[in-house]
Amino acid sequence: GNSVTQMEGPVTLSEEAFLTINCTYTATGYPSLFWYVQYPGEGLQLLLKATKADDKGSNKGFEATYRKETTSFHLEKGSVQVSDSAVYFCALSGETNAGKSTFGDGTTLTVKP
Amino acid sequence: NAGVTQTPKFQVLKTGQSMTLQCAQDMNHNSMYWYRQDPGMGLRLIYYSASEGTTDKGEVPNGYNVSRLNKREFSLRLESAAPSQTSVYFCASSERTSGNTQYFGPGTRLTVL
């Protein structure tokens, strides 16, 4: 079945540091890939997505590229802010598995001033 | 446009009590989902409804029942609550199951004593 493995946390960075959160997946066919973000006390919300190989999703300075050859969708941001402190989830949704989404376990990011 | 709403926000139950968690969406989405979120375990799918009139089990359905009341509403019922069901419950919706962004509600924090 489908699976998503993401970098274990927690991750603690200083403001303006570079961020990478690794995500790799296992799936048949060509799933869509997502990064969701969860701020304290809230539900998940979409951060960015990519629907086919070599697509780059981007939003709020975050980027991730759909790499079919390495089955990866790593999240990056060049300069993090305190307000980026949250839990980040990598997810996929495909034609198999009845189209249900598969989520990673989440990576907690804390950015210190 | 409220998106996905959930009631209640917080609930405390005693072992053996029953309750229903309510979820509604105003985005005319076909698919709806119930997840539970436990520390260190990411999101786990309890039940989902691919379209009005259908429901299917997810990863952890035991101890729960669902009703897709109409296109807007999808409720989750705990018939006899157990301490193992202490969790944060999220409802989500999407236009359809495969490859679509999911939109999450704010969550219900449930404690079973």
Side-chain angles (χ1 to χ4, degrees), chain A residues 32 34 36 38 41-44 46 49 89 93-95 98-101 103-105, chain B residues 33 35 37 40-43 45 48 57-58 90 97-102 104-106:
Chain A
S32 294
F34 305 81
Y36 289 87
Q38 183 180 31
E42 299 183 8
L44 281 68
L46 178 70
K49 66 184 283 189
F89 292 88
S93 177
E95 298 290 339
K100 290 178 288 187
S101 291
F103 289 82
D105 289 341
Chain B
Y33 313 81
Y35 294 92
Q37 184 178 34
M41 300 190 74
L43 285 173
L45 182 65
Y48 71 105
K57 294 178 180 178
F90 289 101
T97 54
S98 179
N100 271 216
T101 300
Q102 292 190 15
F104 286 79

Side-chain angles (χ1 to χ4, degrees), chain A residues 11-33:
Chain A
V11 174
T12 302
L13 296 173
S14 297
E15 206 164 22
E16 298 184 2
F18 185 85
L19 169 71
T20 300
I21 301 177
N22 291 336
C23 173
T24 57
Y25 68 90
T26 302
T28 55
Y30 296 88
S32 294
L33 301 175

Side-chain angles (χ1 to χ4, degrees), chain B:
Chain B
N1 189 341
V4 179
T5 57
Q6 292 182 235
T7 55
K9 284 188 166 49
F10 300 93
Q11 184 71 48
V12 179
L13 294 177
K14 295 181 180 178
T15 297
Q17 288 185 317
S18 62
M19 79 161 296
T20 300
L21 281 63
Q22 306 287 353
C23 174
Q25 52 91 8
D26 62 2
M27 295 173 281
N28 201 36
H29 284 166
N30 291 301
S31 304
M32 298 185 73
Y33 313 81
W34 277 105
Y35 294 92
R36 59 179 289 174
Q37 184 178 34
D38 301 293
M41 300 190 74
L43 285 173
R44 292 185 291 170
L45 182 65
I46 304 171
Y47 271 94
Y48 71 105
S49 172
S51 60
E52 187 179 357
T54 69
T55 59
D56 285 287
K57 294 178 180 178
E59 184 184 353
V60 288
N62 291 344
Y64 305 94
N65 285 300
V66 291
S67 296
R68 183 76 183 265
L69 304 169
N70 47 55
K71 192 172 186 179
R72 289 187 65 246
E73 299 173 288
F74 189 39
S75 63
L76 178 71
R77 183 160 178 84
L78 286 70
E79 290 291 352
S80 179
S84 61
Q85 294 178 305
T86 294
S87 189
V88 181
Y89 291 85
F90 289 101
C91 178
S93 71
S94 63
E95 190 172 333
R96 59 182 192 277
T97 54
S98 179
N100 271 216
T101 300
Q102 292 190 15
Y103 295 83
F104 286 79
T108 295
R109 188 172 296 274
L110 175 66
T111 301
V112 182
L113 303 175

Side-chain angles (χ1 to χ4, degrees), chain A residues 85-107:
Chain A
S85 297
V87 182
Y88 293 82
F89 292 88
C90 185
L92 69 83
S93 177
E95 298 290 339
T96 59
N97 201 27
K100 290 178 288 187
S101 291
T102 301
F103 289 82
D105 289 341
T107 300

